Amino acid sequence: MGKIISIANQKGGVGKTTTAINLSASLAALEYKTLIVDADPQANSTSGVGINPRDVENSIYECMVDNVPALDCVVKTEIDYLYLLPSHIDLVGAEIEMVNIEGREEKMRAALLPLKDEFDFIIIDCSPSLGLITINALTASDSVIIPVQCEYFALEGLGKLLNTIKIIQTRLNINLEIEGILLTMYDVRLRLSNQVVEEVNNHFKQMVFENLIPRNIKLSESPSFGIPAIAFDAESKGAISYLNLAKEILIKNNTVKA
């Protein structure tokens, strides 16, 4: 049975979508059948793997609001072992439409449950908010990765997110774990980057992934071509960092293939 991992932080610009795309592509490159669930109305993960959101007929929105089977909405990307459950702008209205629905926090869990037997990993790209869609994602997940950028105010809002996770663990998903805190946009030349790394490691200790994600032009450029960094330039520092992160997660979960 596959593992569902959310990538969540209500702070924008921390590398959630970059992580969702490139971690998923790295797991796929290691021959793990992987699904990206784009749970952000901006649909950047959808376009980032080469699918035009305007051409999407069925998305995560239809799964949650209209009960369309998720397997009917999954599309194959051009990368072997990598699939997508897309998003489109309609997802903006889902929170309002679901307000009066019973069990509204568990709609995504119900939608994704049949997919757990189909995939080794399901990676959910959350929107930069702690709204109902993100709560749905965390309720559906086995664990959550929290990207934190190596910049000033890095830890701002992290307490609120951790508190939300605690509430979800108490009320909606007792099995939700923190997979790890991922330090992104690291620049070895900057004293501030190194200070943030030290501060986060001192504060959160074993919760922090060993692998850091550097600032890297290939990570920034690859989405405009609709491909992950590993397909754009497999030898770039960004691609290698995400491949190493994927391996770290596989080792942590004892799922490394023989």
Side-chain angles (χ1 to χ4, degrees):
M1 183 170 277
K3 182 168 191 177
I4 302 178
I5 304 174
S6 278
I7 316 290
N9 190 332
Q10 78 274 22
K11 207 167 183 288
V14 298
K16 284 188 298 295
T17 298
T18 300
T19 297
I21 292 170
N22 290 289
L23 172 58
S24 299
S26 295
L27 289 166
L30 295 167
E31 299 188 354
Y32 290 83
K33 192 178 178 185
T34 304
L35 174 70
I36 304 174
V37 177
D38 192 347
D40 186 346
Q42 296 175 83
N44 289 335
S45 278
T46 299
S47 58
V49 292
I51 308 295
N52 188 337
R54 294 188 187 90
D55 298 335
V56 171
E57 291 184 13
N58 286 320
S59 69
I60 187 66
Y61 169 85
E62 280 76 19
C63 296
M64 295 173 68
V65 175
D66 298 329
N67 297 317
V68 173
L71 202 55
D72 294 349
C73 305
V74 170
V75 293
K76 177 84 175 72
T77 74
E78 292 186 2
I79 293 171
D80 289 342
Y81 296 96
L82 185 61
Y83 297 77
L84 172 74
L85 179 47
S87 178
H88 56 56
I89 194 65
D90 285 357
L91 194 59
V92 168
E95 298 203 5
I96 298 166
E97 293 179 51
M98 291 165 57
V99 161
N100 295 318
I101 295 177
E102 191 176 335
R104 59 186 178 272
E105 298 91 353
E106 301 187 9
K107 297 293 285 182
M108 193 181 297
R109 174 155 62 188
L112 297 183
L113 191 60
L115 299 182
K116 289 192 80 170
D117 289 330
E118 301 288 331
F119 294 93
D120 297 310
F121 286 95
I122 298 173
I123 308 294
I124 306 175
D125 180 19
C126 296
S127 62
S129 77
L130 291 179
L132 185 57
I133 303 299
T134 298
I135 288 168
N136 260 269
L138 293 172
T139 302
S141 297
D142 299 302
S143 65
V144 53
I145 291 173
I146 304 169
V148 173
Q149 83 279 37
C150 296
E151 294 179 356
Y152 200 59
F153 295 136
L155 301 182
E156 190 181 63
L158 201 53
K160 189 176 180 183
L161 175 60
L162 293 172
N163 190 50
T164 299
I165 290 169
K166 197 173 288 185
I167 291 167
I168 287 167
Q169 288 169 329
T170 304
R171 300 180 187 173
L172 295 166
N173 184 1
I174 58 170
N175 298 315
L176 180 65
E177 297 178 343
I178 295 176
E179 190 75 29
I181 292 172
L182 177 66
L183 289 158
T184 63
M185 305 178 196
Y186 175 68
D187 189 335
V188 69
R189 300 165 299 176
L190 297 180
R191 185 192 299 174
L192 178 61
S193 276
N194 292 301
Q195 286 174 340
V196 171
V197 170
E198 188 178 349
E199 184 179 359
V200 172
N201 275 296
N202 286 341
H203 200 275
F204 294 104
K205 299 182 169 59
Q206 284 84 11
M207 286 169 65
V208 185
F209 285 111
E210 287 181 18
N211 286 284
L212 306 171
I213 306 302
R215 279 197 177 280
N216 181 250
I217 192 69
K218 300 299 182 184
L219 288 176
S220 303
E221 288 178 346
S222 58
S224 64
F225 292 90
I227 51 175
I230 199 165
F232 185 60
D233 183 353
E235 295 183 2
S236 66
K237 284 185 178 179
I240 291 167
S241 296
Y242 275 110
L243 192 61
N244 288 335
L245 174 66
K247 291 174 181 176
E248 184 178 348
I249 289 169
L250 291 170
I251 291 167
K252 183 179 178 184
N253 286 278
N254 297 313
T255 50
V256 178
K257 290 180 179 177

